[in-house]
Amino acid sequence: MCHIGRACLLAAMDFCTTPLREEMVAWRHDFHTHPELGFEETRTSARVAELLESFGITVHTQIGGTGVVGVLDRGSGPSVGLRADMDALPIHEQTNLPYASETEGVMHACGHDGHTTMLLGAAKYLATAERLKGRVVFIFQPNEEHGFGAKAMLDDGLFDRFPVDQVFGIHNMPGMPVGAAAMRAGAMTASEALFEIRVHARGGHAALPHMGVDAITVGAQIVDNLQTIVSRKLNPGLNGVVSVTEFETDGRRNVLPGQAILRGDARALTPDTNAAIEHHMRQIVAGITQAHGVEATVEYDTAFIPTTNAPHAVQVAAKSARSLFSDVDDACEPKLFSEDFSHIAAAVPGCFLLLGNGATGAHARPLHSADYDFNDDLLVPGSAYWVRLVEHCLGEADV
């Protein structure tokens, strides 16, 4: 029995009452058992291509490395792109599920196995929908976790070869009930910048600190002052996060370190905020090291840009979701995690939305945790949402 809340879409009922739901569960468990890291999704992409071809959909492989694109062409009319990610994470699974990962140290801890399966279910259903007029481009993307997969597909001519009018993406969200959807126009998810600060001080004997410059002392002052970027240097109305996540030195028990490496992560919802964080970070590091008479270098690499949803695409997504779900928030708060769908939405107007994975129990476990699992009860609602969205975009349903 599937749980969609107050679903009213005939397609969703078809999903529930036919063997397709059981097929989707089997596909998802197979993907979960055989996870693959970014740009290594050879088995996954081969299976995706095999299934799409069996549905009668034209398949293109090796797009941006291991990416797969399926094209369902129903003649002249609008075109829409639907994107799912395929890669797993370098995490040792601790779920004890019967379909747990068989690859040591790799697991689907973010639900990309479910995202891939939902889009495959919709593809199979839509392949039989003869009344549709236009084109659906099914995008199965590699390497989302490190932020390289979308760019690789775009650099390989994704939208030059398979042009679309709008593009949409989904991510499951633990803590939200199944049957809930959230999205917003404008910034939906944040940029992510990875930084590394190397302090070059002068080490020495722990009993003679005055004869050197302790890199730990300098580094600790940098860590402390970096927290003032968000609290004192950014407009309080602007969202930002600066986190130091690593602090390494070459010191020993009785040796003051001469070198320190600080690494971390910064998030922002606008390019201007991200630029301001970088500017103040460099200013703080320069000021502290100058005061101590030492040097430092700063590397600041923006791996993900903010995901920005186009207003019209949000309108279509929200009305499609409301035809299925009782809990739809089309003005949710922006999220400070990052998504490389951002690059896709920067190339073509689009909408990235969240679907509830479950509010309690195992399905509310955080993404990227070793005991997380995608909720099979989301497969039907997610696939049905894709179907309804395509019907809206291709003119088969009123918006």
Side-chain angles (χ1 to χ4, degrees):
M1 182 67 179
C2 56
H3 307 282
I4 310 180
R6 295 199 299 269
C8 61
L9 178 62
L10 181 60
M13 298 306 297
D14 288 345
F15 272 111
C16 293
T17 57
T18 65
L20 182 53
R21 181 184 186 277
E22 284 66 39
E23 284 186 86
M24 286 195 291
V25 170
W27 299 337
R28 209 277 292 183
H29 290 186
D30 178 62
F31 291 135
H32 191 94
T33 301
H34 302 98
E36 296 171 302
L37 298 175
F39 291 140
E40 299 176 7
E41 307 97 335
T42 53
R43 182 188 186 276
T44 304
S45 60
R47 181 60 173 150
V48 167
E50 176 187 36
L51 287 168
L52 291 173
E53 287 175 349
S54 74
F55 307 156
I57 290 173
T58 303
V59 177
H60 304 265
T61 60
Q62 298 182 322
I63 311 298
T66 46
V68 179
V69 172
V71 178
L72 179 63
D73 200 332
R74 291 285 186 246
S76 62
S79 59
V80 60
L82 313 177
R83 175 271 206 173
D85 35 20
M86 300 187 293
D87 57 322
L89 285 156
I91 294 173
H92 178 73
E93 183 162 351
Q94 298 177 23
T95 64
N96 296 315
L97 292 165
Y99 50 87
S101 171
E102 294 180 358
T103 304
E104 183 67 25
V106 181
M107 75 168 287
H108 273 294
C110 200
H112 296 185
D113 50 340
H115 301 165
T116 296
T117 299
M118 290 189 296
L119 190 53
L120 284 169
K124 182 168 185 177
Y125 185 90
L126 289 165
T128 66
E130 298 293 340
R131 292 198 309 162
L132 295 176
K133 299 298 181 184
R135 184 166 67 166
V136 186
V137 178
F138 302 95
I139 303 165
F140 294 87
Q141 182 204 303
N143 204 330
E144 185 280 327
E145 294 293 352
H146 292 99
F148 300 130
K151 292 172 68 175
M153 295 190 82
L154 290 166
D155 290 344
D156 207 5
L158 175 63
F159 293 131
D160 295 325
R161 299 164 64 180
F162 315 103
V164 297
D165 302 317
Q166 298 181 96
V167 64
F168 297 85
I170 285 175
H171 206 293
N172 76 93
M173 181 51 59
M176 286 173 55
V178 175
M183 70 211 78
R184 72 189 308 272
M188 180 66 189
T189 71
S191 63
E192 179 185 21
L194 306 177
F195 62 84
E196 180 177 281
I197 302 167
R198 290 180 175 264
V199 177
H200 308 287
R202 295 188 298 277
H205 197 293
L208 304 168
H210 63 291
M211 297 182 68
V213 180
D214 177 8
I216 285 182
T217 299
V218 178
Q221 289 183 18
I222 291 173
V223 172
D224 186 46
N225 279 270
L226 288 181
Q227 303 313 306
T228 68
I229 294 176
V230 173
S231 66
R232 288 296 179 268
K233 299 182 185 301
L234 292 184
N235 182 330
L238 301 177
N239 296 82
V241 178
V242 177
S243 299
V244 177
T245 57
E246 298 179 60
F247 194 145
E248 300 176 3
T249 77
D250 61 350
R252 295 293 184 268
R253 178 177 175 179
N254 63 346
V255 178
L256 294 175
Q259 307 292 322
I261 303 174
L262 312 178
R263 297 188 183 94
D265 175 287
R267 309 287 174 131
L269 290 173
T270 69
D272 287 347
T273 301
N274 184 48
I277 291 173
E278 179 180 3
H279 168 75
H280 291 301
M281 181 178 295
R282 293 184 182 279
Q283 190 177 58
I284 286 169
V285 172
I288 291 173
T289 54
Q290 183 178 9
H292 287 278
V294 299
E295 296 180 349
T297 59
V298 179
E299 295 182 8
Y300 193 94
D301 178 29
T302 302
F304 294 83
I305 62 175
T307 302
T308 303
N309 286 342
H312 181 262
V314 171
Q315 179 187 19
V316 176
K319 292 197 174 183
S320 299
R322 286 195 177 98
S323 70
L324 279 167
F325 310 129
S326 58
D327 182 4
V328 177
D329 182 359
D330 63 0
C332 71
E333 293 183 355
K335 310 303 178 184
L336 269 296
F337 57 77
S338 300
E339 235 301 333
D340 84 342
F341 183 81
S342 56
H343 297 289
I344 292 176
V348 174
C351 177
F352 183 76
L353 77 155
L354 306 175
L355 293 180
N357 192 61
T360 60
H363 298 126
R365 295 291 302 139
L367 299 170
H368 293 205
S369 62
D371 57 351
Y372 162 87
D373 187 39
F374 184 89
N375 190 346
D376 286 336
D377 282 343
L378 180 54
L379 292 173
V380 167
S383 289
Y385 165 78
W386 280 137
V387 170
R388 185 59 166 167
L389 181 68
V390 168
E391 290 179 337
H392 274 143
C393 290
L394 301 193
E396 288 297 306
D398 294 332
V399 179

